[in-house]
Amino acid sequence: MNRPAERPAHRPADTSVDRPVAPAAPRRTVRAPEASRFNALHAGAWWLWALGLAAAASRTTNPLLLGLLVGVAGYVVAARRTDAPWARSYGAFVKLGLAVLAVRLLFSVFLGSPVPGAHVLFTLPEVPLPGWAAGVRLGGRVTAEQVVFALYDGAKLATLLICVGAANALANPVRLLKSLPGALYEVGVAVVVAMTFAPNMVADVGRLRTARRLRGRSTGGVGAVLRIGLPVLEGALERSVALAASMDARGYGRTAQVPPAVRHTTTALTLGGLLGICAGVYGLLSSAGTGYGVPLLVAGAVAAAAGLRLGGRRSVRTRYRPDRWGARAWLVAGSGAAVATALIAAGVADPAALHPGVVPLEAPTLPLWPAAGALIGLLPAFVAPAPGPPPPSEEPTP
């Protein structure tokens, strides 16, 4: 008996074979572009950001806020610094800040302090001094109040140094020199040479110590320091001679002829503007001059800008591919200004929160709004162009 043929069971169509599957849409993420020669952040924006953090640090002695500002500067440096020689100087500035803090504490312990105290920690042998040295002592009682006061004062100065070190590690000094007005070109060259001396010296010391380590020689002790110091000084002298030769070859120092009236007007505007800026900055940094600080600062900046514009006529220097001040530069500089504004406003509204009591001793607390204002300084870590990966090393061909 013939049985009917069985129909094959229905199988779902294999979509992976019958028709191609559309690739998944890429996830859109908002991130800063990779830094290049064409989109590099303006060097002046980094300095304005760092000076904003430094101005904020000068308004408080609260160690929690100072530590927060140091953390903000360190995070931005770790996220946006490159492998250039000047970028390696941040660690040296941190060590310098710690050294300043230690020296401030030692001075307070051995030379005394005008801060009265009731909690005696220990007593040192006191050296008697003549009558003309009244108010100065060597040794004697060391109280907790004077040690805490010295700690707060030294921490503020150390934070200022670390903020300046962050600007040195992030801003390219050569590009900063290109952005200066023509009237400040000669002064800017001297400042840039002075600024690059310390980073280059730190890089030379690290390179020589590594070379001694690879040769199996010690890197500590007085003898090693003397053997490293001579090549470092020799390298600095060679760089100075090369810099002088390149400046002379480029016609450095040549100026154009301008009428005497323009020169006198330029001098008056520039000096008056700089004096106004100094008085305005002093007013902003002191608690008593907050009212007149901003008007003087604005008037001085306008006068100085006009004087520099007129003084630029004497310069015959040209710029090749000048850096542009774009939206990211405004965000970076504005974040530093926002941090300084937040701390200044907090000092006016609640000065006790920014200056913990020493007599009597009080535990410092972290105020909410000043801390939130300090966190605005993290903005450059997300909007500034990210440094590119290091170039791949070339392997030798067999």
Side-chain angles (χ1 to χ4, degrees):
M1 183 174 181
N2 295 332
R3 305 176 70 178
E6 296 181 357
R7 294 182 179 180
H10 176 71
R11 295 180 181 178
D14 190 356
T15 57
S16 64
V17 177
D18 296 342
R19 52 185 178 181
V21 180
R27 297 178 60 185
R28 294 183 178 180
T29 57
V30 179
R31 61 178 60 183
E34 186 175 315
S36 64
R37 186 179 60 182
F38 304 100
N39 67 344
L41 192 70
H42 200 285
W46 285 123
W47 272 100
L48 291 178
W49 167 79
L51 291 177
L53 295 184
S58 67
R59 301 290 296 183
T60 179
T61 56
N62 191 323
L64 301 180
L65 284 176
L66 294 175
L68 185 61
L69 291 172
V70 171
V72 167
Y75 182 83
V76 175
V77 169
R80 289 297 181 264
R81 71 173 173 179
T82 62
D83 294 331
W86 61 81
R88 305 170 190 170
S89 62
Y90 181 71
F93 277 92
V94 173
K95 295 177 182 178
L96 179 61
L98 295 177
V100 168
L101 179 60
V103 170
R104 181 67 180 87
L105 288 174
L106 290 177
F107 273 36
S108 175
V109 169
F110 290 101
L111 300 180
S113 174
V115 177
H119 301 80
V120 180
L121 297 178
F122 52 88
T123 303
L124 296 175
E126 187 170 358
V127 179
L129 297 176
W132 54 267
V136 180
R137 67 176 177 85
L138 296 176
R141 297 191 315 159
V142 178
T143 62
E145 287 81 359
Q146 76 179 62
V147 172
V148 171
F149 177 78
L151 179 64
Y152 290 172
D153 199 22
K156 180 168 69 173
L157 183 55
T159 305
L160 293 174
L161 291 174
I162 291 174
C163 292
V164 174
N168 276 277
L170 293 170
N172 189 336
V174 178
R175 302 185 77 91
L176 181 63
L177 176 62
K178 290 174 59 177
S179 305
L180 286 178
L184 295 179
Y185 182 63
E186 287 81 6
V187 179
V189 169
V191 172
V192 169
V193 170
M195 286 168 50
T196 55
F197 175 77
N200 287 328
M201 186 177 65
V202 171
D204 288 346
V205 171
R207 177 174 53 82
L208 292 172
R209 292 186 64 183
T210 303
R212 288 183 63 86
R213 243 186 261 112
L214 293 176
R215 295 187 178 96
R217 301 176 182 177
S218 63
T219 58
V222 179
V225 172
L226 294 177
R227 292 185 182 91
I228 291 175
L230 184 59
V232 168
L233 294 177
E234 183 180 358
L237 181 60
E238 291 178 355
R239 282 194 302 270
S240 301
V241 173
L243 177 62
S246 63
M247 291 168 62
D248 183 69
R250 290 173 173 84
Y252 174 77
R254 299 177 184 175
T255 58
Q257 295 293 332
V258 294
V262 176
R263 290 203 306 269
H264 298 331
T265 305
T266 301
T267 303
L269 287 175
T270 305
L271 290 180
L274 292 179
L275 289 176
I277 290 175
C278 292
V281 170
Y282 176 78
L284 290 178
L285 296 181
S286 64
S287 57
T290 308
Y292 66 85
V294 175
L296 280 178
L297 182 61
V298 172
V302 171
L308 294 178
R309 183 63 180 252
L310 288 176
R313 297 181 179 180
R314 297 180 64 246
S315 176
V316 295
R317 179 176 65 105
T318 59
R319 288 188 178 92
Y320 178 68
R321 289 179 179 175
D323 293 338
R324 296 181 179 179
W325 189 281
R328 298 183 184 275
W330 281 112
L331 290 174
V332 171
S335 64
V339 174
T341 304
L343 268 293
I344 291 173
V348 175
D350 188 10
L354 301 186
H355 301 278
V358 177
V359 181
L361 283 175
E362 297 179 1
T365 58
L366 183 63
L368 179 60
W369 292 112
L375 292 178
I376 302 176
L378 292 173
L379 186 62
F382 305 99
V383 301
S393 58
E394 298 182 358
E395 298 182 358
T397 57

